[in-house]
Amino acid sequence: MKQSNFIAWIYRMPLIKRWALMHCIKPENVAEHSHLVAVIAHLLAVIRNTKFGGTLNADRASTLALFHECSEARHQDINHNTKYHNPEITREFKRLEKLAEQECIDSLPEDFRDIYNAIIIQDNVDAEYKQLIKAADLLSAYLKTLDELHFGNQEFAHVKVNLDNKLEKIKQELPEVQYFLDIFAKSCTATVDQLSGM
């Protein structure tokens, strides 16, 4: 039987650093980020379904989020300012991401590819789920930013301003984001003793 590189690439995700151009009090890698985005996406879907009459499959949202950064196993995490420096550069980075996603699919046994096509190839992800995962991605970055600022890292001050603006826009369409911020965000910078109720 032919060996597949699929898991081998996923296995390398903890080696891919996020926020590579910034000083971080607590380093973060793509695997950790993907896990948190998956948890947040699941919770956002539950909030939408329970509080705002949604009908999303929370398990599907979580699975899609878990795989949303697969291309970075091949091409690393690219700094936001670099990736979006100008339209031409953005277009080329997006092209690289698509190639990496396809390489990921092509590394699978052929009879598995259709299943993962709708999970890994971001252009194939349903728009409603894609929007929710984007919100979860922003919330993950927001929690990271709050954490870094909590520990005195002012390098993240401008990141918070940018994320505040992005979240303000997305809250207009996704009320579950505001609910998440109101109910879950504040305790993320609490100490262990505070979380334990001491």
Side-chain angles (χ1 to χ4, degrees):
M1 293 176 71
K2 185 183 174 188
Q3 276 285 304
S4 167
N5 295 334
F6 179 74
I7 291 298
W9 282 112
I10 302 296
Y11 187 66
R12 289 179 169 269
M13 288 177 81
L15 301 176
I16 311 297
K17 292 181 175 68
R18 284 178 51 81
W19 312 98
L21 297 181
M22 297 179 68
H23 171 71
C24 291
I25 302 290
K26 289 165 55 177
E28 182 184 40
N29 66 55
V30 173
E32 293 167 329
H33 167 72
S34 296
H35 171 261
L36 184 57
V37 173
V39 171
I40 294 171
H42 192 281
L43 184 54
L44 287 177
V46 169
I47 295 167
R48 180 186 293 190
N49 295 345
T50 306
K51 299 289 185 184
F52 302 105
T55 57
L56 289 178
N57 181 325
D59 295 344
R60 173 108 182 126
S62 187
T63 298
L64 290 167
L66 198 57
F67 285 94
H68 84 286
E69 301 283 26
C70 272
S71 66
E72 293 188 0
R74 298 298 297 258
H75 298 300
Q76 302 188 31
D77 180 45
I78 305 300
N79 175 274
H80 181 85
N81 292 331
T82 303
K83 187 174 177 180
Y84 295 99
H85 180 68
N86 68 45
E88 188 177 339
I89 288 174
T90 302
R91 193 166 46 251
E92 287 305 307
F93 275 123
K94 293 286 187 187
R95 190 177 68 80
L96 277 174
E97 286 173 356
K98 288 178 184 179
L99 285 171
E101 289 166 4
Q102 190 58 54
E103 287 171 2
C104 220
I105 295 297
D106 292 344
S107 74
L108 284 160
E110 199 165 338
D111 48 347
F112 298 171
R113 292 178 188 173
D114 282 348
I115 295 166
Y116 284 92
N117 234 322
I119 296 172
I120 290 172
I121 306 290
Q122 293 302 296
D123 284 348
N124 296 341
V125 175
D126 180 81
E128 195 173 14
Y129 284 97
K130 202 171 196 175
Q131 183 187 38
L132 189 89
I133 291 159
K134 179 62 178 171
D137 195 49
L138 288 173
L139 287 167
S140 170
Y142 186 75
L143 295 179
K144 167 68 175 168
T145 298
L146 293 181
D147 201 39
E148 290 289 329
L149 290 170
H150 179 73
F151 287 104
N153 185 359
Q154 289 305 305
E155 185 138 352
F156 277 77
H158 77 282
V159 176
K160 185 174 184 303
V161 171
N162 290 338
L163 287 171
D164 282 338
N165 290 334
K166 287 178 181 178
L167 287 170
E168 199 55 46
K169 289 177 187 169
I170 209 161
K171 285 188 293 189
Q172 306 305 315
E173 295 180 45
L174 305 181
E176 58 267 35
V177 171
Q178 184 64 63
Y179 185 96
F180 178 95
L181 290 167
D182 291 343
I183 302 299
F184 297 102
K186 186 177 178 184
S187 62
C188 289
T189 56
T191 65
V192 171
D193 286 346
Q194 288 169 330
L195 289 174
S196 300
M198 297 179 81

